Each structure stands twice: as structure tokens, then as C-alpha cells.
Amino acid sequence: MNRGSRNSGHSDAHGRRGGVNLPALRGHNEALVLDLLRGAGPAGLGRTELAARTGLTPQAVSKITARLGADGLVAEAGRAASTGGKPRTLLRLVPDARHAVGVHLDRDVLRAVRVDLAGRVVADSGGPLDFGAGPEAAVEAVVRAVARLRDPDGPPLLGVGVAAPGPLDHRAGVMGRVTGFPSWKGFPLRGVLEGRLGLPVLLDKDTNAGAAAAAGAWLRATWPEPGSEVDVAGAGAVGADAAAPAGDGLAGGGPHTCVYLHVGTGLGAGLWLGGGVYRGARSAAGEFGHQVLLLDGPPCRCGARGCVEVLCLEAVARGDLPGAARIVGEAAANLVALLDVDRVLLGGRVVASAPDVFVAGVGAVLAARALDPARPVVALAGAGVAEGAAEMALTSLFGRAG
Amino acid sequence: MNRGSRNSGHSDAHGRRGGVNLPALRGHNEALVLDLLRGAGPAGLGRTELAARTGLTPQAVSKITARLGADGLVAEAGRAASTGGKPRTLLRLVPDARHAVGVHLDRDVLRAVRVDLAGRVVADSGGPLDFGAGPEAAVEAVVRAVARLRDPDGPPLLGVGVAAPGPLDHRAGVMGRVTGFPSWKGFPLRGVLEGRLGLPVLLDKDTNAGAAAAAGAWLRATWPEPGSEVDVAGAGAVGADAAAPAGDGLAGGGPHTCVYLHVGTGLGAGLWLGGGVYRGARSAAGEFGHQVLLLDGPPCRCGARGCVEVLCLEAVARGDLPGAARIVGEAAANLVALLDVDRVLLGGRVVASAPDVFVAGVGAVLAARALDPARPVVALAGAGVAEGAAEMALTSLFGRAG
DNA sequence: ACCACTTTCGCAACAGTGTTGTCAAAGTGC
DNA sequence: GCACTTTGACAACACTGTTGCGAAAGTGGT
């Protein structure tokens, strides 16, 4: 019934493990089924297939799907062709059973989206933001944006995902020392927003939200466009990401390993490893800008020499975008080799200024250095960071680690 | 009772998720408790503390520990000081309740160890091996070594972990194309060994076993030496790894993120991320040797230019070991920044030839480039690869992903 | 048209998990 | 010696997925 108050402790994909009790077990299995149904798209899946994929007995699947049906999350979707006996009745996720909100706090703009359970944008809102004006003003802006997105007649909201720049403590929901904005250091953004909004709030780095968007794009591709509402504010966000979801060699439920590379005033990476965002021991993973690519190269503001960031931004400064793309490509190839990455997504202002140059440039280096020429796939980050933030809020239903 | 036949499907740390039924739930919670007791060392832990750390109720912990006690895995270990009421009775893991075997197949030697549940070496065996002589001869050598280690009067063996060089398919247990040894390609080593030994067998890359050893070393440090038996065969494996386990800022149960760097005929990395070995989508993660560190540098046999491997091995070839250490250090620093690594462990023949030079050289670069000067810890891989392979076999009890 | 067969899927009884309520045991501190 | 706190076990309980069985709904052969 009350699916918001799920028991806390169960196995994270990358965090500490906790004990599992009966409610947590139920939640895990329900999330698993929902995740499979989400990956199946509007065509749906039969109970037998769900049983085979989860490893549960058909009877258990029937009980679980009955509960989900009572909650309105799942509905019947016709029958499949018979395989020699009674045809299986297909079950489909009801995308409008719940919604979630994602907010992207950037340095000068705020963008917020409301998405359905398939991750599709149902409504969006946004406007200018002066990040330097301090946390209080930003909180007000977020509260106003969420209020505009809220629909009293619509389905309940699962939560709000907030993507913010710079270092921050994901667990505590506290901002870190954002370069150039000292007033934000230590601000408990998650707690404050939860108090103001009365909804669960997740706070994470914008690059991690980008990685979540990259992983979620795979799933979104299995669902048709919702119809009217279209993403407008995402400047230069071309959907070069319509690769066929099938035949990816994956069991289902999205790509195994995605990397989101952000090239803006700095360089950052979001890592989606094995079905969840990887944050490292102290939420500091993804430091991509200061990977050394040229030993004893030009000095960087970080103190080292020959970092990706210096090399790339120098190339950008002298107008050599193909050169910058090559630099990013070499660093990306290092990362792809190290982590066995499936997909590389590119985003950020510099990329948006010349998307084709970067996709081609990075793709060329990756193809030259990859062992498997078909991998990894390089694409533009079609979905914005706000969509990724919303995606993270959806994980309370689909069970991926948050 | 029969703890070997645990229900298959439950949540891996990095793999695909499966449904959870009651036996799997029980197994998860028992593994969790055993893992905590293992981390506590011989001093033991009270039931109340176990309940607090797992999130389970005290009553559930009592039931679980009663089952574990009946299996002989856990025993009482005195009482703690009272905190104002009845003093808690301490529970301790019984290390000799089960054993496991780890085998390291190297290019010219084989080393096998039998370890107890604390990961301590109880017996070892080894000898020369001609890896090029083909799989059949190696299988015979492994069978002989395991037979020597087996003790009919000893505790039951949980399984055998096998660490082998080169690419291989961890899931299927099949060898890949080991450079220089074409006869191994496609050989189903795990299946063959399971048939010959009658025990569960895990096959993984030697670098991954090294990472497991690195993570396990943290736990071994909490248990005293077993007494007589001492590691002899591990050439140059100095135990520079006695850092105090406490005060590491971690909740318990080992470091969050470890990296094992192997410097031998090639360079490889084993990644221990968030409590488990990270293998990537196609078991290909850890490709460390061909990270580009010097754009347009000297050509490497892999086709790229300026890889770590060329730079490092060139420095070694001209006798410049500090230079080689610096190269490895810069590449390690990239990796540490990207993944937020806690510990870096060094191993392999080249490192063993001048351990102090490499530990100091790598440490210096890491200290210079790290944000937090206290991290990461650099040390020599005190435990050998065989110990790591045994550690992986222990995961069937302690629940970390395999 | 009929029958045998396969497959799907729900009902009822069941085994086993952690949880709750209650109480005895074993300490500390006044 | 008494009040209080804390530990931890027993019994009843709520709820999970599992098993056994049978009805429903198709296909394909006769």
C-alpha cells in the first residue's frame, strides 16, 4: 500500500550492506519486477517471462504483480500469441501511476522537469538563476519551480532529485566547497528542501545525474514519446541517441557501464558502473579533469602538469575544437579501457557549441584504441541533467542504488 | 545446515540482480553477520552491536547467531564490560570451522594455499609450472597441489579459487587468449577442475585476485598470526601492510576501494570497488597498461603511443627504477582521482625487485597530487595472489559478490 | 466435432523468515 | 537491600515465497 515508507536497509549496489527483513525483501522483488516491466516498454511482459528472469516461481510473480496491480502501477496489456497452450496475459507498467521531479541547479540557470515512470518528460520549467546569490535564493527558486510543476490532479510525486555542481556529500545531502561560491559550503540543501517541499529529496553531483540520464536514455528509448510536451530549454541537446535497445548483448535493464563526460568551465565525469552511479568512498569519484595526459606538460591550476583540463581548455581557447575533442577522446579511451565501458555520453557547454566535432573526434580516438571496434558507443547526452536527476528520484521504485 | 547449497539468486554488488526468496534472505543475513564478526577479530562482538550494525532486531540476531552456532561457525567468547546492566556475551567467528583453497597459476610457478575463515594461511604448496605446456598439464598440477593441501581430518573446504593470467571469462570459467599461449584459448578451466576436484571452483584474473588479497589484508590484520605455518614461497612479499585497521573512517568490513597494480611483463590492475571486485560488462576491466600518459609519446606494441607500459618498461630497461616508479605513480594518481581510491597495493616481479623504490616513488606522486594528503595508502601487496584467490572462495560464506 | 495435450494461472495449505510482546537473568548505582 | 538498566530467550504472530492441485484457454491431430 504505502510504498513510500519502504524499509531502509537493503543491499546497495555500491554502498554498505544492511540486514534484510520481510518488507525489504518484498520491496526488492517488487522493484525487480517493475524494473523488468519498465525495460520491456509498452509491449509488456508475461508472468512466465518475469518468473524466468527473476528466478522466482510463477506463483510468487502472480502474487507480486497482483499487489502492484492493486497499487495501480501495473496493468494488463492484452495477450501474447500462444506457444502451444493458454496464451500468456501481458503485463505493462503504467507510466502515469507516479511521477518524479528532477532539478538541475547550474551556475546561471535552473531547469526542472516532471517525468513519468518511463522517464519521459511530462512538464518542465526553468529560468535564470544566480548561483552566487547563495543557497537561500536558490532554495526559493527550486521551491517555486517545483510548485509550478506540481499538479494537484496528477499522480503522486515519488520525490525530487537535485543535481548541483561541485563537490558535495551525497549521503548527508550537504553541499561542499564549490569553486567560486564559498557561501554554499556546508549548506544542508537536501534537508532544507525536504522541509520546504514535504517530499523525499536526493542531492547529487550534476555529473552523476548526467550518468543517470545516460543510463536512463536506454530505457526511455523503449517507450514512445508521450505526445505533446517537448523538451525546449535543453540548449543544443540533440537526440543523437536512438540506438536500438535490443541486441546490446545485455540481459536487460539498461547498459552495464556508462560514462558521462562534461566539458564546460571544467571537466567532470559521472560513472554509471554495473547498474548504479559509482561515487567512491567519499563521494569524490569522477575527477576527470585532472587526469594527467601529457607528462611534464603545461602547468594546471591544480598544481599538476599536463592535465586533461589544461590541454583541452587551451585548445578551446585557441579555437582548435578538433584538437580539444582529440584530448577528451584520449582521456576517455583511458577510462574506457580501465572500466570496460559500454557507452560514452558527452555533454556540457563546450560540447554543445560544436556537438558534431566532439562526437566525431572522441569517437575516432575511441575506435582507434578500442579492442572491440563496435564498442563503446559515443553519443551526445540527449537527455539533460535535470532528466537524470529525476531518474535518480525514480530509483526509490525501481530499486537501483541511490 | 547444508550451507553450500545456498539459493542462487540474490543481489550482487555489481552484477545483474535476481529475485530473493526466503533461503536467500536467510543466507544474506547470515553472511552479513559472519562478515561483521570476521571484521571484529578474535575479540568478538555482542549481539546488540550486531543488531545495530545490521539494522535487524536483537531477536533476529539471536536466531541467526543460534543457527551459526549450531553450524560451528560462531562461538561465545566471554563477556564484555557492563554498560549499566547485564553484560553482553561476546560472539566470535571460529576460523577453523571451514577452510578454502586458493591457487595462483603463474607463467612459470604454481602456488596454492589453504586458508581459514580469517584468511590466514594454514598450509601451502607449490612448485614450478610450465604454463606453455598447455591446460591439461596445468590441471594435473592443480589437482596434485590441492590434494597435498587437503586434510581429511580438517574442516570441510568451501571451494577453490583459481587465479590465472590474461583475459578470461569469469562467468563461464573459460580461459581467453593469453598472449603467447594459444593452446589455452577457450579452455573451460573451471568446469574441468570442478569435475576433478569435486569442489566449487572460481576462476578469475590474477590481478583481480590481487585486489581481493589487498582488500582481505585489511581483515587479516585484525586476526593474530595462526602460529607456526608461515608464508615462504611469496618471493619478496614483505608485509608492509600492518596499518591499524581502526580509525580508517570506514564502517567496517574492509576498505571501500582498493586497487592492485601489477608490474611484471605487462601492467595490469585489479579493481576492488565498494566491497567487491569490479570486472566490467565483459570481464575486461582493469586494463591499466595501455593508459596513455604521454600524448604522442613512444609507440607501444598495442598501437597507441605513450602508454604507461612502454614508458615504464623503457625506464626499467635502462635501469631507471625511480623513473619507472614515477610513471606508475602518475598513472596510479589518475586512477585514484577518478575512482576515489582508499588503498593502492603494488605487486609483480618488477616491483618485487626493488620494493622500497616503488613504494616510495608511487607514494610521492600520489601524495603530491592527492587532495587529501592522508589518502590513499600505498603499500606492497603483502599477501600473494594465491591468498586473494582463496579470499574469493571465501565469499560464498561472507556474501561479497563473486 | 471431438479429444489429447500443453501452457497459463489462481486457490489453499505450508514452511520458514523476522517481528512483537512478555518476562527472567544479571549486572550497576544509590 | 532496593530501584533501575540492559541483555537475551520464549511464544505467538504477520507475512513472505513455495508446493500441490485444478480450472481455464488455447493448439493440433483424428
Side-chain angles (χ1 to χ4, degrees):
Chain A
M1 304 278 191
N2 183 3
R3 298 183 51 81
S5 65
R6 179 173 297 166
N7 186 305
S8 64
H10 90 250
S11 176
D12 279 32
H14 299 289
R16 288 281 156 228
R17 309 178 308 166
V20 179
N21 51 19
L22 259 34
L25 180 149
R26 178 182 58 183
H28 177 90
N29 286 345
E30 289 179 354
L32 197 58
V33 168
L34 283 172
D35 199 36
L36 286 171
L37 288 176
R38 190 188 188 202
L45 233 48
R47 289 182 177 83
T48 311
E49 198 163 358
L50 286 172
R53 292 223 215 162
T54 56
L56 298 170
T57 57
Q59 192 58 29
V61 171
S62 274
K63 280 190 173 182
I64 291 166
T65 53
R67 287 198 304 258
L68 295 175
D71 283 357
L73 290 163
V74 161
E76 297 198 351
R79 340 194 109 182
S82 167
T83 60
K86 176 177 175 179
R88 52 188 67 165
T89 59
L90 295 170
L91 298 170
R92 185 185 58 200
L93 180 69
V94 179
D96 277 323
R98 304 285 189 281
H99 283 174
V101 169
V103 179
H104 181 195
L105 286 178
D106 208 346
R107 286 186 157 76
D108 49 9
V109 293
L110 177 150
R111 194 167 108 84
V113 296
R114 179 154 57 91
V115 305
D116 63 16
L117 293 183
R120 302 174 298 189
V121 174
V122 175
D124 74 354
S125 163
L129 172 78
D130 181 8
F131 197 78
E136 290 77 12
V139 165
E140 294 307 322
V142 172
V143 170
R144 276 197 306 274
V146 173
R148 274 199 299 272
L149 289 176
R150 249 175 159 155
D151 175 6
D153 303 327
L157 289 180
L158 289 169
V160 178
V162 177
L168 53 82
D169 182 343
H170 161 264
R171 283 191 171 173
V174 173
M175 298 292 291
R177 190 178 44 79
V178 186
T179 39
F181 304 100
S183 63
W184 279 87
K185 180 172 162 56
F187 185 75
L189 184 55
R190 190 183 68 193
V192 170
L193 281 176
E194 277 185 339
R196 291 293 301 273
L197 296 170
L199 288 169
V201 173
L202 268 71
L203 176 65
D204 211 337
K205 288 197 286 192
D206 46 10
T207 48
N208 287 341
W218 190 90
L219 289 163
R220 272 191 294 277
T222 67
W223 291 85
E225 287 299 315
S228 53
E229 320 274 350
V230 186
D231 176 349
V232 195
V238 183
D241 192 45
D248 212 322
L250 298 165
H256 184 282
T257 303
C258 280
V259 168
Y260 171 78
L261 298 181
H262 185 92
V263 186
T265 51
L267 278 82
L271 308 176
W272 180 275
L273 305 184
V277 171
Y278 182 76
R279 299 188 178 84
R282 285 161 298 284
S283 301
E287 182 46 77
F288 178 69
H290 301 292
Q291 301 274 300
V292 168
L293 259 191
L294 184 61
L295 282 176
D296 305 318
C300 175
R301 52 174 178 163
C302 75
R305 302 168 70 97
C307 299
V308 189
E309 188 170 306
V310 204
L311 300 175
C312 177
L313 296 187
E314 273 189 356
V316 170
R318 63 174 183 265
D320 179 12
L321 288 183
R326 189 238 166 171
I327 300 287
V328 174
E330 294 284 355
N334 281 355
L335 208 152
V336 164
L338 187 71
L339 297 174
D340 194 10
V341 172
D342 287 312
R343 298 169 66 79
V344 175
L345 277 282
L346 301 174
R349 283 210 172 65
V350 173
V351 171
S353 71
D356 297 341
V357 174
F358 274 89
V359 170
V362 172
V365 179
L366 287 179
R369 281 185 52 194
L371 299 133
D372 179 352
R375 290 179 188 283
V377 180
V378 183
L380 222 57
V385 173
E387 281 87 335
E391 188 71 34
M392 297 191 305
L394 290 178
T395 58
S396 62
L397 255 191
F398 298 108
R400 299 188 182 285
Chain B
M1 308 280 186
N2 182 3
R3 300 184 50 81
S5 66
R6 179 171 298 164
N7 186 305
S8 64
H10 89 248
S11 177
D12 279 31
H14 299 289
R16 288 281 156 226
R17 309 177 307 164
V20 179
N21 51 20
L22 257 34
L25 179 148
R26 179 183 56 183
H28 177 90
N29 286 345
E30 288 179 354
L32 197 58
V33 168
L34 283 173
D35 199 37
L36 286 171
L37 288 177
R38 190 188 189 202
L45 232 50
R47 289 182 177 83
T48 311
E49 198 163 357
L50 286 172
R53 291 224 215 162
T54 56
L56 298 169
T57 57
Q59 190 57 31
V61 171
S62 276
K63 281 190 173 183
I64 291 166
T65 53
R67 287 199 303 260
L68 295 175
D71 284 356
L73 290 162
V74 161
E76 297 199 350
R79 336 192 113 184
S82 167
T83 59
K86 177 177 177 178
R88 51 189 70 165
T89 60
L90 295 170
L91 298 170
R92 184 186 57 201
L93 179 68
V94 179
D96 277 321
R98 303 285 189 282
H99 282 174
V101 170
V103 179
H104 181 197
L105 286 179
D106 208 347
R107 287 184 158 77
D108 49 8
V109 293
L110 177 150
R111 192 167 110 83
V113 296
R114 180 154 56 91
V115 304
D116 65 15
L117 293 183
R120 301 174 299 190
V121 175
V122 174
D124 72 355
S125 163
L129 173 79
D130 181 8
F131 197 78
E136 289 78 12
V139 165
E140 294 307 322
V142 171
V143 170
R144 276 198 306 273
V146 173
R148 275 199 299 273
L149 288 176
R150 250 177 158 151
D151 175 7
D153 303 327
L157 289 181
L158 288 169
V160 178
V162 177
L168 54 82
D169 182 343
H170 160 265
R171 283 192 171 175
V174 174
M175 298 291 292
R177 191 177 44 78
V178 186
T179 39
F181 305 99
S183 64
W184 279 87
K185 180 172 162 54
F187 185 75
L189 185 56
R190 189 183 68 193
V192 171
L193 281 176
E194 277 184 339
R196 290 293 302 274
L197 295 171
L199 287 170
V201 173
L202 269 72
L203 175 65
D204 211 337
K205 288 196 286 192
D206 46 11
T207 48
N208 286 341
W218 191 90
L219 289 164
R220 272 191 295 276
T222 67
W223 290 84
E225 289 299 316
S228 53
E229 320 273 351
V230 186
D231 176 347
V232 193
V238 182
D241 193 44
D248 210 325
L250 299 166
H256 184 281
T257 303
C258 281
V259 168
Y260 170 78
L261 298 180
H262 185 93
V263 186
T265 52
L267 277 83
L271 307 177
W272 180 275
L273 305 185
V277 171
Y278 182 77
R279 299 188 178 83
R282 285 160 298 285
S283 302
E287 181 47 77
F288 178 69
H290 301 291
Q291 301 274 300
V292 169
L293 258 192
L294 183 62
L295 282 175
D296 305 318
C300 175
R301 53 175 177 164
C302 75
R305 301 169 71 97
C307 299
V308 190
E309 188 170 305
V310 208
L311 301 175
C312 178
L313 296 187
E314 274 188 356
V316 170
R318 64 174 183 266
D320 179 12
L321 288 182
R326 188 237 166 171
I327 301 286
V328 174
E330 293 284 355
N334 280 356
L335 209 154
V336 164
L338 186 71
L339 296 174
D340 194 8
V341 172
D342 287 311
R343 297 170 65 80
V344 175
L345 277 281
L346 301 175
R349 280 209 175 67
V350 173
V351 171
S353 70
D356 296 342
V357 174
F358 274 90
V359 170
V362 172
V365 179
L366 287 179
R369 282 183 52 191
L371 299 130
D372 179 350
R375 293 180 188 281
V377 179
V378 183
L380 224 55
V385 173
E387 281 87 335
E391 188 72 33
M392 296 191 305
L394 290 177
T395 57
S396 62
L397 254 191
F398 299 108
R400 300 188 179 283

